[in-house]
Amino acid sequence: RRVLSALAVSTLVVTITTGCQFMQPVRSLDPYAPSDGFQTDIDDLKARNFMLLELENEAALIGSFVNSGNEDLDVTVQIINGDTRTDTSVEVPAGGKTDMGYNGFAPKLVELPDEVIAGQLYPIYIQVDNGTPRELFVPVLDGALEEYQQMIDLLG
């Protein structure tokens, strides 16, 4: 009888202490941005690692678009600075990727307001085909970190 009681108590203790393992979500399955840039999904369009890098008199918008769908997408990136709106259109092929500022592709160069400094978030707008533009807040970075200084040197 003592053996059965001890076995029952030890089984209960093991069940209680390991039960939380069955209740907790697996955090490694949560999506996250593994870089300083911003990412979002708009239906079949995946915008990845978007950021603004401060150059001397302007900023370089860099990032990548990935199309997980079966049809080409026309994407418009809008940047607003006061009364000035800059639109850049890119085509993202079905099942393909289009880079801005990566892999030998030119970034979009834009002027930012003078009061914008590194470390802030700045709004850009991404519109897929003729849909409603989605506002994204992308980080403004400078050459304080060596990795970004190398990119700035390549772009500038």
Side-chain angles (χ1 to χ4, degrees):
R1 186 172 171 169
R2 280 186 177 185
V3 173
L4 287 177
S5 294
L7 183 60
V9 169
S10 64
T11 302
L12 182 62
V13 168
V14 168
T15 302
I16 290 172
T17 58
T18 61
C20 54
Q21 294 288 357
F22 300 113
M23 304 295 248
Q24 294 294 322
V26 178
R27 295 288 178 211
S28 62
L29 297 177
D30 291 343
Y32 69 98
S35 180
D36 292 329
F38 185 83
Q39 71 179 27
T40 192
D41 297 347
I42 306 171
D43 298 323
D44 288 335
L45 181 73
K46 314 305 186 227
R48 297 293 183 256
N49 205 29
F50 272 85
M51 64 184 78
L52 286 159
L53 293 177
E54 286 187 331
L55 305 175
E56 286 186 29
N57 298 319
E58 55 198 350
L61 176 67
I62 63 173
S64 297
F65 291 113
V66 178
N67 181 352
S68 62
N70 296 322
E71 296 182 18
D72 295 349
L73 297 174
D74 292 317
V75 178
T76 303
V77 180
Q78 302 169 349
I79 299 174
I80 299 172
N81 177 356
D83 294 335
T84 305
R85 181 177 124 180
T86 304
D87 288 359
T88 301
S89 296
V90 295
E91 184 176 302
V92 186
K97 177 180 169 199
T98 300
D99 293 317
M100 296 176 70
Y102 293 115
N103 300 320
F105 291 93
K108 175 62 184 167
L109 299 177
V110 297
E111 288 187 37
L112 297 178
D114 292 335
E115 61 272 8
V116 174
I117 60 171
Q120 290 182 319
L121 297 176
Y122 194 78
I124 67 168
Y125 301 85
I126 296 178
Q127 180 179 6
V128 181
D129 293 327
N130 292 320
T132 304
R134 180 176 293 179
E135 183 179 41
L136 310 174
F137 288 92
V138 298
V140 178
L141 303 169
D142 62 9
L145 295 174
E146 184 180 334
E147 302 83 36
Y148 297 118
Q149 186 59 52
Q150 290 173 3
M151 290 182 75
I152 289 169
D153 291 344
L154 287 173
L155 297 173

